[in-house]
Amino acid sequence: MIPLPLQPKETILLHNTGVHRQGNPEFYTDELFLTNRNMIYVRKGFFGRIKNIQTYPLSQIKIQNGQ
């Protein structure tokens, strides 16, 4: 697992590999983490190197139809 910039008392709840967001859908190399405070998207390059880490606070995620 890659080292993430977690806040104090932040815990990973779910982790998913093989995620794709933008670019070429043939390369599902990205990872998605859900913590008790944030959703973290890790964009990786072709050889698995980290290109970018985006953090989305849970307070900014919209709820629709109760989900």
Side-chain angles (χ1 to χ4, degrees), residues 1 5 7 12 17-18 25 29 32 34-35 37 42 45 55-56 58:
M1 189 178 305
Q7 300 173 10
I12 296 173
T17 59
T29 58
L32 188 64
L34 178 65
T35 73
R37 296 183 181 196
V42 179
T55 302
Y56 303 95
L58 294 181

Side-chain angles (χ1 to χ4, degrees), residues 3-35:
L4 291 175
L6 297 178
Q7 300 173 10
K9 298 185 180 181
E10 184 174 15
T11 305
I12 296 173
L13 303 174
L14 293 171
H15 171 224
N16 197 355
T17 59
V19 177
H20 166 71
R21 182 175 164 220
Q22 294 176 344
N24 192 342
E26 294 179 19
F27 304 110
Y28 290 89
T29 58
D30 299 345
E31 296 185 46
L32 188 64
F33 296 85
L34 178 65
T35 73

